[in-house]
């Protein structure tokens, strides 16, 4: 059973090296509002500089660029196919992703993709906690963007808090109007950007801007824009803490060996001002490296004081690491008081034991192997796809009828899928079932348009002494493709 000890960083002496390790406490409910200007007020994070902030800016730029530019990327699929690299074509029921084309009856590929994404997410969690949430999740990316706009217009944390308390004046109203206008512009771009994935992007964009797109397209732009404005502008950390299921799952999948953001309390405690720490050290008394400046708390977008211990709401963004490293550098002390470190190593540090990192362990190896096996299996399945398929539906009621001459007849519906771009003609044949004779309703060959599905009615007639398996085969008259489907010829009751 996994349990979090969250009370290790209270203001109290550190355990001695030979002291017994305390029993783990129950996991805490997500803690927040440590830097809120007033109880219940929104978290107002301060800007910070450092390597994790730089990584976050890079990932923000990358994610937004991919989201905005991907629909305009072209991909040559031949003359009669859409030339958009990533396209969800709801009209024809196709999903195009570069060289892959998914038909509605192949949605199991999407199921496989979702399972693969879950495996990768759990693997990431085992390696570095909620690192996906801190750097790549759309909620984080868009909230970071909205916060950057807010800072550019209203100033950094202290200024924003002061202005919020000061009340409204003409300048403040103009600032708020500019901020919300910018937020709405980003939200509208986000909504329009999503719609571009569902039709030819350049044409859809022209239609949207000229007011000539469908009402449905405008409705989706409005829905996504509204959600973006609300979630990134107002809900922010509430989404990461309460609305997203990932923090709820942390209780089950939290891994003490994962490199999560942790406070090295054995080095930082007892905390106190730099001056007081100097006095204590001069007097030969213990003093920690934490100067209680609260920089780690004020930069946290979730409003967590990481010194209180692991917190399920922490998105592992590393901004508190940057803030604390900046403070330590100014104080000429070693950085890494807050760091990506495993909880096991924090406990070892408290016991003054040598530390070790175990990123590669049975759990991570197993998860990586499962993800690779699934990805490989999906790759093989995609490589072996045929350019068509045949399915057979046996008539249910009745399954067989006895004719006046004593013979038995079964009825079937043959569904032939032609995934090729060109029209093809298929000859249908049947094997098995003894002396059964096949008859197609209408023509004896089946014409299938390119990129289309065609259904034909067929009957099998035979002596019907006993039921037996039959195999239908559709053979492309202009090529080598053959598609088969098995069914049964039923004797009359
Ligand atoms: S930023 Fe570092 S020194 Fe300042 S309160 Fe946080 S842990 Fe302590
Ligand atoms: S505690 Fe640190 S790593 Fe966790 S969310 Fe806050 S700033 Fe990010």
């Amino acid at each position: 059973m996994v349990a979090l000890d969250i009370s290790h960083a209270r203001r109290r002496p550190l355990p001695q090296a030979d002291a017994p390790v305390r029993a783990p406490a129950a996991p805490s409910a997500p803690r927040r509002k440590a830097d809120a200007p007033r109880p219940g007020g929104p978290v107002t994070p301060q800007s910070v500089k450092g390597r994790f902030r730089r990584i976050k800016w890079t990932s923000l730029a990358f994610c937004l660029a991919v989201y905005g530019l991907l629909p305009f990327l072209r991909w040559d699929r031949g003359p009669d196919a859409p030339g958009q690299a990533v396209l969800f074509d709801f009209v024809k029921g196709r999903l195009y992703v570069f060289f892959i084309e998914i038909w509605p009856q192949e949605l199991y590929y999407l199921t496989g993709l979702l399972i693969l994404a879950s495996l990768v997410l759990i693997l990431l969690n085992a390696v570095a906690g909620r690192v996906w949430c801190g750097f790549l999740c759309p909620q984080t990316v868009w909230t970071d963007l909205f916060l950057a706009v807010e800072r550019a217009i209203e100033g950094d944390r202290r200024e924003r808090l002061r202005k919020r308390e000061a009340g409204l004046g003409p300048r403040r109203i103009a600032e708020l109007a500019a901020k919300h206008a910018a937020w709405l512009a980003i939200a509208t771009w986000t909504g329009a950007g999503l719609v571009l994935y569902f039709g030819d992007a350049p044409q859809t964009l022209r239609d949207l801007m000229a007011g000539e797109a469908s009402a449905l397209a405008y409705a989706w732009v409005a829905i996504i824009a509204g959600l973006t404005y609300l979630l990134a502008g107002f809900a922010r950390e509430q989404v990461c803490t309460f609305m997203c299921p990932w923090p709820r799952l942390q209780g089950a999948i939290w891994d003490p060996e994962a490199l999560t953001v942790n406070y090295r309390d054995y080095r930082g405690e007892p905390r106190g001002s730099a001056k007081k720490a100097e006095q204590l050290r001069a007097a030969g008394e213990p003093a920690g490296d934490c100067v209680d400046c609260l920089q780690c708390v004020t930069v946290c977008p979730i409003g967590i004081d990481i010194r209180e211990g692991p917190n399920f709401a922490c998105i592992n963004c590393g901004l508190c690491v940057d803030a604390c490293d900046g403070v330590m550098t100014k104080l000429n002390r070693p950085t890494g008081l807050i760091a990506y470190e495993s909880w096991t190593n924090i406990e070892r540090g408290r016991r003054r034991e040598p530390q070790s990192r175990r990123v590669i362990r049975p759990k991570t190896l197993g998860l990586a192997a499962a993800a690779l096996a699934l990805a490989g299996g999906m790759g093989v399945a995609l490589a072996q796809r045929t350019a068509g398929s045949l399915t057979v539906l046996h008539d249910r009621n009745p399954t067989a009828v006895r004719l006046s001459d004593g013979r038995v007849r079964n009825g079937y519906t043959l569904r032939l899928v032609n995934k090729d771009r060109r029209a093809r003609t298929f000859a249908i044949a049947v094997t098995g079932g003894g002396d059964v004779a096949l008859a197609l309703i209408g023509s004896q060959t089946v014409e299938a348009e390119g990129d289309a599905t065609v259904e034909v009615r067929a009957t099998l007639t035979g002596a019907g002494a006993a039921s037996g398996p039959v195999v239908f085969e559709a053979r492309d008259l202009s090529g080598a493709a053959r598609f088969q489907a098995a069914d049964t010829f039923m004797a009359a009751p």
Side-chain angles (χ1 to χ4, degrees), residues 263 271 289-297 305-307 320 323-325 327-328 331 337-338:
Y263 168 64
R271 67 185 79 157
D289 275 348
C290 175
V291 292
D292 211 10
C293 62
L294 291 180
Q295 286 297 303
C296 52
V297 182
D305 185 347
I306 196 64
R307 297 172 303 166
C320 54
C324 191
D325 279 355
V327 175
M328 291 296 115
L331 292 172
L337 179 55
I338 299 177

Side-chain angles (χ1 to χ4, degrees), residues 85-299:
V86 179
L87 176 68
F88 299 82
D89 188 343
F90 270 113
V91 179
K92 288 177 76 176
R94 303 282 188 281
L95 166 58
Y96 301 94
V97 184
F98 297 98
F99 60 93
I100 300 170
E101 180 181 333
I102 305 286
W103 285 52
Q105 53 270 61
E106 295 173 324
L107 280 182
Y108 48 82
Y109 282 115
L110 286 189
T111 311
L113 208 58
L114 288 177
I115 296 172
L116 183 61
S118 308
L119 278 173
V120 171
L121 204 55
I122 295 170
L123 173 62
L124 272 181
N125 202 82
V127 172
R130 291 182 68 185
V131 75
W132 157 267
C133 308
F135 293 87
L136 290 165
C137 172
Q139 174 65 20
T140 291
V141 170
W142 262 261
T143 299
D144 256 3
L145 183 61
F146 274 46
L147 269 171
V149 168
E150 188 173 89
R151 273 193 205 109
I153 295 173
E154 294 184 4
D156 212 343
R157 177 175 185 271
R158 193 168 294 177
E159 220 175 329
R160 298 210 301 281
L161 290 177
R162 183 179 55 73
K163 287 176 178 172
R164 207 174 287 162
E165 298 298 325
L168 288 177
R171 190 187 161 85
R172 177 76 181 137
I173 290 173
E175 275 185 358
L176 287 174
K179 178 178 83 173
H180 287 282
W183 280 2
L184 282 169
I186 296 170
T188 307
W189 168 77
T190 308
L194 191 73
V195 169
L196 300 185
Y197 285 86
F198 294 86
D200 180 62
Q203 185 58 47
T204 307
L205 186 61
R206 277 194 290 274
D207 290 348
L208 282 172
M209 293 179 74
E212 292 169 359
S214 66
L216 190 64
Y218 287 112
W220 275 110
V221 173
I223 289 169
I224 302 300
L227 280 172
T228 308
Y229 180 65
L230 285 176
L231 297 184
F234 301 95
R236 291 182 181 175
E237 76 283 354
Q238 311 284 345
V239 177
C240 308
T241 308
F242 301 110
M243 290 165 71
C244 173
W246 205 227
R248 306 283 139 208
L249 286 174
Q250 291 299 307
I253 62 175
W254 181 77
D255 190 331
E257 296 282 3
L259 296 176
T260 50
V261 170
N262 275 307
Y263 168 64
R264 291 186 166 122
D265 62 336
Y266 55 87
R267 189 189 130 189
E269 301 293 321
R271 67 185 79 157
S273 69
K275 196 173 161 192
K276 193 177 159 199
E278 265 179 40
Q279 288 168 352
L280 284 170
R281 284 189 193 115
E285 289 184 40
D289 275 348
C290 175
V291 292
D292 211 10
C293 62
L294 291 180
Q295 286 297 303
C296 52
V297 182
T298 55
V299 300

Side-chain angles (χ1 to χ4, degrees), residues 41-118:
V43 173
T44 311
Q46 184 175 295
S47 64
V48 63
K49 289 191 174 126
R51 62 191 156 134
F52 294 110
R53 181 63 268 181
R54 279 195 299 279
I55 295 172
K56 272 173 75 69
W57 284 134
T58 309
S59 112
L60 180 147
F62 174 76
C63 292
L64 292 181
V66 168
Y67 178 76
L69 297 177
L70 196 55
F72 296 97
L73 193 64
R74 302 291 97 186
W75 192 267
D76 186 8
R77 297 188 182 88
D80 300 322
Q84 189 160 316
V86 179
L87 176 68
F88 299 82
D89 188 343
F90 270 113
V91 179
K92 288 177 76 176
R94 303 282 188 281
L95 166 58
Y96 301 94
V97 184
F98 297 98
F99 60 93
I100 300 170
E101 180 181 333
I102 305 286
W103 285 52
Q105 53 270 61
E106 295 173 324
L107 280 182
Y108 48 82
Y109 282 115
L110 286 189
T111 311
L113 208 58
L114 288 177
I115 296 172
L116 183 61
S118 308

Side-chain angles (χ1 to χ4, degrees), residues 445-460:
T445 54
V446 179
E447 305 284 338
E449 292 296 319
D451 204 17
T453 301
V454 62
E455 283 188 0
V456 284
R457 292 279 302 148
T459 60
L460 289 182

Side-chain angles (χ1 to χ4, degrees), residues 261 296 299-304 306 313-321 340:
V261 170
C296 52
V299 300
C300 177
I302 307 293
I304 290 169
I306 196 64
C314 171
I315 57 173
N316 246 23
C317 65
L319 296 184
C320 54
V321 178
Y340 283 90

